[in-house]
């Protein structure tokens, strides 16, 4: 690997005996930041790689979902940086309108005040004060995780330049005829007292009651029977509707009904769009102020809209005797009155979808109010085209289908919110009712010149500003150097749950305002679960990433999250896996300590003399080259789990448990040339392993790198290992893998016979076996095979009768010497029980359809392979049972 110049004094090349990440993590992050490592440095001709962080809410604390997404981004950023790219990863936070306002309102409530008593201006000052004091905690927490963000470009969606961008976008859309104001039925949260978009409503199937109510119709003795789940809204009915072709309701045509409880005459209208003649009684109540479909029908038929439920969820004066009651209390009272009057003619249980506010879980009320909307269809068409023609791609690619389905059925977007914290709508109404929308506050009405202007009190939906994030952070609408250099971005990483909230809107906005899609690739990751279950305080399974970092270290948390990064919708993480990742870090730490002790104070030679390489040397170098290729390929495909697995397998099983054990006799032997060659290979392998692992575990690898190379703070910009093929050696791999398989079989043979791990074993290898092509290499490796297998005898001949176990495929014969110490019965019984338990567990997993569908194919295949191995082991144990 190339050396990076550094003026710092050479560090002491000794690692502490005990691995403790708390001793170095914060120091390394401060060093990288001080050295400007997170800024997009490099020759102008070098490729660039740009991402913007999905801005966390300014109210936020780092949760496991944040940690997961930001770990993915940081791995990509560090990998690209080491690959020679000028990497820019822009940090920032979102003002989070509703969430932030609720936090500050809760503070005021504790003080016995509320925002209205404070007034708008004072309240906004209070929110800004809160933001300055505690609003950026999550940024410090991202540093703890190791995120290599360019903090010199930190942005906040309410910064003056970003606020100007938001206003400019609103003005442009308004002047292009794509923003309009109108009175429509919207989703309304009575607790937040604001409109919310369709996407901010969570629908849950709920068991309710369907009430059948009789309306009197003069001239029709039986009247009309109407079914509803919301009887309190009937107080706002302004018509009954029937289908013109339904013979059941022919007697009602042209009639007038009497609204129960209100004694108001309402017409019977014919509406084939609203009424499904195949469903129910064929008569539908029409409440234009409290149902979107009814509102559309009212528009078609010129019906009045009577608002009987107010913005606070209480009944209005239009509800007559029920005024000022909570809507659910009013429901009870209405039903009681209907029953008293004999108009409640039936009830039945009814499953239906009920909408809840995503923010506070209050039942959403359809509510007629004046709001601002974006006309979406003209924006959606080019955004659909951008994905169809490959300008924007999704990873996994299957998300494109979901994107198309939503975009082709998209509705206009309600963008006004009845809040105080946020970007206030730049629309000013004069005393004559004319509206002026402008980039700067107007001094006079642009239509009539009136000086009396009042700004719209509403603010914009938070997602309106968020949709501009990929280009507003670079100075748009100005043509800045950063905008020219770094937009469009390259990759967006975010959870699939905000594909429509944010991703689709960014694509639409980017194309509309800049003429370019805001990113080339969207990596949509799954949502984090603990052991497959949603985290819940009541279940006691919540993982706080900050607590986990304190317990296991940031590297272990990151590696666990990366290892779990499958392509499915659910990401399963457990504390036990974090402990396992810490064990992995400790394993590497101890291997590095061993290596440093072998290399000595001078660090050993970096040059490798091919002529002096042993088969194990050639094997590990070949495996290193192959793993480098695998890791890069997996990262290119956003399969961080596969990349992490490849590195883990190489470091733990091949480097530490394999090569280190093979070369210990060489390093302690009399062959100085062989020992020097082994040291050079060992150094090369450790250097490359650290570099491969750095994007995943940056702190640990930088700490070891400094001790190994003498170059401080340099690994972050070292070249990332790539497969060259120069060290590829299939023959060496075949020979050493055969040796390792034989050693494993010898160890299993002891266990199956109940022998101690140190009991010598006699081994024969048949030169005429199916594996005979590697026998010459195995003869070369005979001293190593004797050492690793603790063999009393090794012969290359067909297995004689004295051998107690024969493995035909490998041509092996194995035997314990006469009188060997064993407790075979007890050991085999325990091993059989454990093996049976694991076999049962794996079989159950492979019979689980959900596992087969959701788990990556490689994981399923690994499970099947493990099951086959255990079944073979069980057969051998059964045969060996005394």
């Amino acid at each position: 690997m190339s050396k990076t110049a550094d003026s710092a004094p050479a560090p002491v090349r000794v690692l502490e005996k005990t691995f403790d990440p708390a001793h170095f993590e914060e120091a390394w992050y401060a060093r990288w930041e001080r050295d400007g490592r997170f800024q997009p440095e490099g020759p102008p001709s070098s490729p660039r790689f740009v991402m913007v962080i999905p801005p966390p809410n300014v109210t936020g604390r780092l949760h496991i979902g944040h940690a997961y997404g930001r770990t993915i981004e940081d791995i990509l950023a560090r990998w690209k940086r080491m690959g020679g790219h000028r990497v820019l990863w822009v940090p920032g936070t979102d003002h989070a309108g509703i969430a932030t306002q609720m936090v500050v309102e809760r503070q005021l409530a504790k003080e016995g005040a509320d925002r209205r008593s404070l007034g708008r201006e004072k309240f906004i000052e209070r929110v800004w004060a809160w933001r300055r004091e505690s609003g950026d905690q999550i940024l410090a927490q991202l540093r703890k995780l190791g995120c290599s963000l360019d903090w010199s470009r930190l942005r906040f969606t309410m910064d003056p330049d970003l606020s100007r961008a938001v206003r400019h976008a609103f003005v442009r859309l308004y002047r292009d005829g794509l923003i309009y104001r109108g009175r429509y039925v919207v989703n309304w949260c009575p607790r937040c007292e604001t409109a919310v978009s369709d996407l901010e409503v969570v629908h849950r199937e709920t068991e309710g009651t369907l009430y059948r109510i009789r309306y009197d119709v003069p001239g029709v003795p039986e009247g009309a029977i109407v079914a509803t789940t919301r009887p309190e809204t009937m107080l706002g009915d302004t018509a009954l509707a029937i289908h013109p072709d339904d013979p059941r309701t022919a007697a009602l045509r042209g009639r007038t009904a009497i609204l129960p409880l209100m004694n108001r005459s309402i017409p019977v209208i014919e509406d084939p769009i609203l009424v499904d003649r195949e469903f129910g009684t064929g008569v539908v109540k029409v409440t234009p102020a409290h149902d979107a479909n009814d509102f559309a029908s009212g528009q078609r038929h010129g019906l009045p809209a009577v608002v009987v439920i107010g913005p606070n969820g209480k009944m209005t004066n239009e509800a007559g005797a029920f005024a000022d009651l909570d809507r659910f209390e009013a429901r009870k009272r209405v039903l009681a009155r209907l029953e008293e009057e004999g108009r409640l003619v039936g009830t039945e249980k009814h499953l239906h979808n009920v909408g809840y506010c995503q923010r506070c879980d209050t039942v959403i009320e359809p509510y007629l109010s004046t709001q601002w909307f974006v006309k979406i269809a003209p924006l959606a068409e080019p955004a659909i085209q951008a994905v169809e023609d490959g300008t924007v791609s999704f990873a996994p690619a299957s998300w494109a289908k979901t994107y198309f389905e939503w975009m082709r059925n998209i509705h206009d977007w309600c963008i006004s919110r009845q809040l105080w914290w946020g970007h206030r709508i730049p629309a000013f109404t004069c005393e004559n009712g004319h509206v002026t929308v402008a980039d700067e506050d107007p001094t006079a009405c642009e239509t009539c010149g009136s000086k009396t202007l009042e700004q719209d009190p509403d603010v914009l939906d938070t997602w309106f500003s968020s949709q501009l994030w990929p280009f507003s952070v670079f100075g748009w609408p100005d043509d800045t150097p950063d905008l020219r250099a770094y937009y469009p971005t390259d990759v967006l990483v975010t959870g699939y749950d905000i594909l429509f909230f944010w991703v689709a809107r960014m694509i639409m906005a980017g194309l509309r305002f800049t003429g370019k899609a805001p990113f080339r690739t969207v990596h949509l990751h799954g949502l984090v679960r603990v052991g497959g279950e949603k985290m819940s305080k009541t279940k006691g399974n919540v993982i706080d990433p900050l607590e986990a970092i304190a317990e296991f270290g940031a590297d272990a948390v990151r590696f666990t999250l990366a290892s779990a990064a499958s392509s499915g919708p659910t990401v399963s993480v457990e504390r036990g896996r974090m402990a396992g990742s810490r064990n992995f870090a400790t394993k590497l730490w101890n291997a590095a300590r061993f290596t440093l002790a072998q290399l000595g104070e001078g660090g050993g030679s970096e040059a490798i003399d091919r002529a002096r390489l042993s088969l194990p040397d050639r094997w590990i170098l070949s495996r290193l080259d192959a793993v480098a290729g695998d890791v890069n390929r997996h990262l290119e495909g956003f399969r961080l789990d596969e990349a992490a697995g490849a590195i883990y397998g190489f470091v733990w099983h091949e480097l530490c448990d394999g090569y280190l054990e093979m070369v210990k006799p060489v390093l302690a032997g009399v062959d100085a040339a062989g020992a020097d060659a082994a040291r050079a290979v060992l150094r090369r392998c450790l250097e490359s392993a650290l570099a491969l692992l750095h994007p995943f575990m940056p702190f640990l690898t930088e700490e070891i790198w400094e001790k190994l190379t003498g170059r401080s703070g340099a690994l972050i910009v070292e070249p990332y290992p790539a497969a060259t093929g120069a060290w590829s050696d299939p023959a060496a791999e075949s020979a050493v893998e055969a040796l390792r398989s034989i050693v494993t079989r010898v160890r299993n043979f002891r266990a199956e016979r109940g022998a101690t791990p140190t009991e010598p074993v006699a081994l024969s290898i048949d030169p005429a076996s199916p594996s005979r092509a590697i026998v010459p290499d195995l003869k070369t490796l005979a001293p190593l095979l004797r050492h690793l297998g603790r063999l009393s005898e090794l012969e290359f001949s067909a297995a004689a009768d004295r051998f107690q176990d024969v493995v035909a495929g490998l041509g092996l014969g194995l035997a314990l010497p006469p009188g060997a110490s064993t407790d075979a019965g007890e050991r085999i019984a325990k091993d059989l029980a454990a093996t049976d338990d694991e076999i049962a567990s794996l079989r159950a997993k492979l019979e689980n359809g959900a596992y087969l569908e959701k788990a990556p194919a490689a994981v399923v295949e690994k499970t099947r392979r493990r099951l086959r191995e255990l079944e073979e082991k069980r057969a051998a144990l059964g045969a060996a049972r005394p």
Side-chain angles (χ1 to χ4, degrees):
M1 306 202 73
S2 66
K3 293 187 178 181
T4 301
D6 196 303
S7 58
V12 177
R13 296 188 175 186
V14 176
L15 289 172
E16 296 291 334
K17 183 176 181 180
T18 303
F19 169 62
D20 185 356
H23 286 171
F24 53 80
E25 287 187 347
E26 285 189 16
W28 276 121
Y29 195 90
R31 173 67 185 273
W32 292 324
E33 196 171 355
R34 187 173 68 247
D35 291 350
R37 299 300 197 192
F38 303 158
Q39 294 173 8
E41 295 183 341
S45 59
S46 59
R48 39 141 268 192
F49 181 76
V50 183
M51 297 184 295
V52 293
I53 191 175
N57 288 354
V58 71
T59 58
R61 172 183 168 87
L62 189 73
H63 59 63
I64 198 70
H66 288 137
Y68 176 59
R70 304 303 70 79
T71 294
I72 293 174
E73 285 175 303
D74 194 52
I75 288 170
L76 295 175
R78 289 177 181 272
W79 171 54
K80 290 291 187 179
R81 190 179 290 117
M82 295 175 75
H85 289 70
R86 290 176 293 122
V87 172
L88 174 58
W89 183 19
V90 180
T93 51
D94 191 282
H95 65 280
I98 293 179
T100 303
Q101 181 158 316
M102 287 177 68
V103 167
V104 178
E105 286 199 64
R106 281 195 291 267
Q107 288 184 348
L108 289 173
K110 290 178 182 177
E111 300 167 12
D114 60 38
R115 65 181 170 109
R116 290 180 176 83
S117 64
L118 205 61
R120 183 168 192 146
E121 189 175 333
K122 292 287 186 184
F123 177 77
I124 292 173
E125 288 177 6
R126 179 70 179 257
V127 178
W128 275 109
W130 173 86
R131 191 256 172 179
R132 285 190 293 270
E133 290 169 11
S134 57
D136 284 340
Q137 289 182 33
I138 197 166
L139 302 180
Q141 294 161 358
L142 290 171
R143 284 179 161 92
K144 275 193 171 296
L145 188 63
C147 296
S148 55
L149 291 146
D150 184 353
W151 297 107
S152 69
R153 287 180 166 85
L154 179 63
R155 297 290 183 265
F156 176 51
T157 52
M158 290 283 282
D159 283 345
D161 51 346
L162 272 72
S163 295
R164 184 167 65 90
V166 170
R167 183 161 183 163
H168 182 76
F170 184 96
V171 172
R172 274 187 57 177
L173 290 174
Y174 180 81
R175 290 178 177 169
D176 290 345
L178 296 177
I179 283 183
Y180 62 94
R181 192 179 188 216
R183 196 163 182 253
Y184 296 92
V185 170
V186 297
N187 302 304
W188 185 270
C189 175
R191 181 176 177 184
C192 299
E193 290 197 46
T194 182
V196 294
S197 72
D198 291 344
L199 291 174
E200 294 167 297
V201 179
V202 178
H203 290 279
R204 292 201 289 269
E205 191 171 63
T206 305
E207 185 178 271
T209 303
L210 193 66
Y211 304 95
R212 299 188 184 277
I213 303 167
R214 180 174 54 80
Y215 288 54
D216 288 339
V217 182
V220 181
E222 65 273 21
I225 306 298
V226 172
T228 181
T229 58
R230 301 168 65 222
E232 69 279 6
T233 64
M234 68 177 289
L235 305 175
D237 287 357
T238 56
L240 295 182
I242 61 174
H243 195 285
D245 300 326
D246 190 347
R248 296 176 302 166
T249 57
L252 298 175
R253 289 179 193 149
R255 302 281 185 175
T256 298
I258 305 300
L259 179 61
L261 308 186
M262 304 300 286
N263 200 31
R264 186 168 68 232
S265 295
I266 57 176
V268 177
I269 62 172
E270 297 179 50
D271 193 330
I273 298 174
L274 181 66
V275 182
D276 179 359
R277 60 181 294 186
E278 305 300 325
F279 179 77
T281 65
V283 185
V284 174
K285 63 191 284 296
V286 184
T287 319
H290 295 285
D291 183 277
N293 291 324
D294 290 6
F295 177 79
S297 178
Q299 294 288 96
R300 290 192 294 272
H301 295 275
L303 300 175
V306 180
V307 177
V308 293
I309 302 175
N312 59 358
K314 293 186 176 181
M315 307 306 287
T316 69
N317 290 334
E318 295 284 358
F322 303 95
D324 296 327
L325 291 175
D326 175 79
R327 54 186 168 152
F328 298 116
E329 178 60 28
R331 179 179 297 177
K332 296 175 186 176
R333 302 276 186 95
V334 165
L335 289 169
R337 282 278 305 275
L338 290 170
E339 195 159 19
E340 286 174 14
E341 296 183 11
R343 297 188 180 279
L344 186 61
V345 297
T347 63
E348 63 182 78
K349 293 298 181 185
H350 179 66
L351 273 180
H352 62 136
N353 279 322
V354 176
Y356 293 82
C357 175
Q358 184 194 49
R359 179 63 55 185
C360 68
D361 209 38
T362 298
V363 174
I364 289 294
E365 189 64 43
Y367 177 65
L368 180 62
S369 63
T370 300
Q371 303 288 343
W372 292 87
F373 298 85
V374 173
K375 195 180 295 183
I376 286 290
L379 303 175
E381 290 173 13
I384 291 170
Q385 180 64 38
V387 176
E388 285 179 333
D389 65 20
T391 301
V392 176
S393 61
F394 288 99
S398 56
W399 282 109
K401 180 182 178 183
T402 308
Y403 172 83
F404 289 137
E405 287 174 354
W406 186 74
M407 292 291 280
R408 288 172 177 144
N409 295 282
I410 197 168
H411 300 292
D412 286 358
W413 173 17
C414 176
I415 56 171
S416 45
R417 298 291 180 269
Q418 289 63 52
L419 304 171
W420 286 357
W421 172 245
H423 297 102
R424 194 165 174 181
I425 292 175
F428 300 78
T429 304
C430 75
E431 57 193 350
N432 299 314
H434 303 128
V435 176
T436 299
V437 173
D439 282 302
E440 303 292 338
D441 288 0
T443 57
C445 174
E446 64 182 10
T447 302
C448 67
S450 171
K451 303 287 187 181
T452 305
L453 297 169
E454 184 176 348
Q455 186 173 359
D456 194 295
D458 293 350
V459 300
L460 288 164
D461 180 5
T462 299
W463 296 103
F464 189 91
S465 54
S466 298
Q467 70 175 337
L468 312 175
W469 184 252
F471 44 95
S472 63
V473 297
F474 297 124
W476 183 89
D478 295 335
D479 183 22
T480 65
D482 269 9
L483 188 65
R484 291 193 297 272
Y486 301 118
Y487 183 83
T489 65
D490 293 284
V491 171
L492 176 79
V493 176
T494 192
Y496 72 82
D497 56 326
I498 55 175
L499 170 59
F500 309 128
F501 275 114
W502 192 43
V503 178
R505 288 169 176 166
M506 282 190 290
I507 297 173
M508 289 187 280
L511 291 168
R512 184 74 189 184
F513 295 120
T514 73
K516 300 174 183 176
F519 26 72
R520 295 178 176 86
T521 304
V522 181
H523 174 50
L524 294 173
H525 59 69
L527 304 183
V528 178
R529 299 286 185 261
V530 175
E533 292 187 341
K534 189 173 182 179
M535 282 181 285
S536 165
K537 289 181 180 178
T538 57
K539 292 180 181 177
N541 67 345
V542 175
I543 295 179
D544 182 328
L546 297 172
E547 293 177 2
I549 287 171
E551 182 176 356
F552 303 112
D555 286 326
V557 172
R558 290 168 60 107
F559 194 79
T560 300
L561 294 171
S563 300
S566 69
S567 59
T570 298
V571 178
S572 185
V573 174
E574 298 172 8
R575 296 184 72 84
R577 293 182 69 175
M578 291 183 181
S581 295
R582 166 133 182 166
N583 292 341
F584 174 57
T586 301
K587 182 95 169 177
L588 178 60
W589 184 267
N590 290 335
R593 291 186 72 246
F594 173 83
T595 302
L596 289 170
Q598 294 299 320
L599 298 178
E601 197 61 36
S605 172
E606 294 186 52
I608 294 177
D609 184 350
R610 282 181 179 268
R612 296 185 179 277
L613 295 180
S614 66
L615 275 170
D617 295 335
R618 290 162 48 198
W619 166 73
I620 196 64
L621 290 170
S622 183
R623 291 300 307 132
L624 174 61
D625 191 71
V627 167
D630 291 342
V631 171
N632 280 284
R633 186 178 70 258
H634 294 319
L635 289 175
E636 285 285 357
F638 297 96
R639 291 309 306 265
L640 278 70
D641 55 337
E642 301 283 1
I647 298 171
Y648 181 95
F650 175 77
V651 170
W652 190 295
H653 299 298
E654 295 179 324
L655 180 59
C656 295
D657 288 354
Y659 184 69
L660 284 182
E661 297 305 314
M662 294 179 200
V663 297
K664 282 178 181 178
V666 178
L667 296 171
V670 296
D671 181 2
D676 286 343
R679 290 188 186 97
V681 171
L682 189 53
R683 175 179 175 130
R684 171 71 61 83
C685 289
L686 182 57
E687 276 192 10
S688 295
L690 293 173
L692 284 169
L693 187 57
H694 177 77
F696 300 82
M697 305 180 95
F699 299 109
L700 163 73
T701 53
E702 193 76 83
E703 178 74 5
I704 298 174
W705 179 269
E706 179 190 55
K707 304 300 189 290
L708 179 65
T709 67
R711 303 194 292 277
S712 182
L715 179 55
I716 188 173
V717 290
E718 282 288 320
Y720 199 73
T724 65
W727 296 101
S728 179
D729 196 332
E733 289 198 38
S734 296
V736 174
E737 291 300 339
L739 176 141
R740 300 184 77 204
S741 295
I742 293 169
V743 170
T744 299
R745 184 70 203 101
V746 169
R747 291 169 178 169
N748 289 343
F749 174 72
R750 283 194 187 91
E752 291 158 8
R753 293 298 189 278
T756 63
T758 58
E759 191 70 56
V761 170
L763 175 68
S764 75
I765 299 175
D766 186 353
S769 74
S771 303
R772 56 184 173 274
I774 60 169
V775 167
D777 285 333
L778 288 177
K779 288 181 177 179
T780 302
L781 292 168
L784 183 58
L785 183 52
R786 285 193 181 93
H787 169 76
L788 295 175
R790 298 178 183 272
L791 303 179
S792 57
E793 298 177 45
L794 173 60
E795 58 186 59
F796 288 87
S797 61
D801 291 341
R802 68 188 181 89
F803 288 99
Q804 301 153 355
D805 188 34
V806 176
V807 185
L810 291 175
L812 303 181
L814 302 102
L816 288 169
S821 173
T822 68
D823 52 354
E826 184 179 347
R827 286 196 181 200
I828 291 175
K830 287 182 179 178
D831 206 356
L832 269 172
T835 303
D836 284 341
D837 287 345
E838 191 173 354
I839 286 173
S841 174
L842 293 178
R843 282 177 176 166
K845 187 178 286 190
L846 289 170
E847 289 167 4
N848 183 336
Y851 172 77
L852 296 176
E853 180 182 345
K854 295 177 181 178
V859 173
V860 174
E861 179 53 36
K862 185 177 179 181
T863 304
R864 290 192 173 114
R865 188 167 60 249
R866 175 62 178 160
L867 179 59
R868 288 193 296 269
E869 290 171 357
L870 287 169
E871 287 171 341
E872 290 172 5
K873 178 181 177 181
R874 198 202 183 289
L877 287 169
R881 201 169 192 172

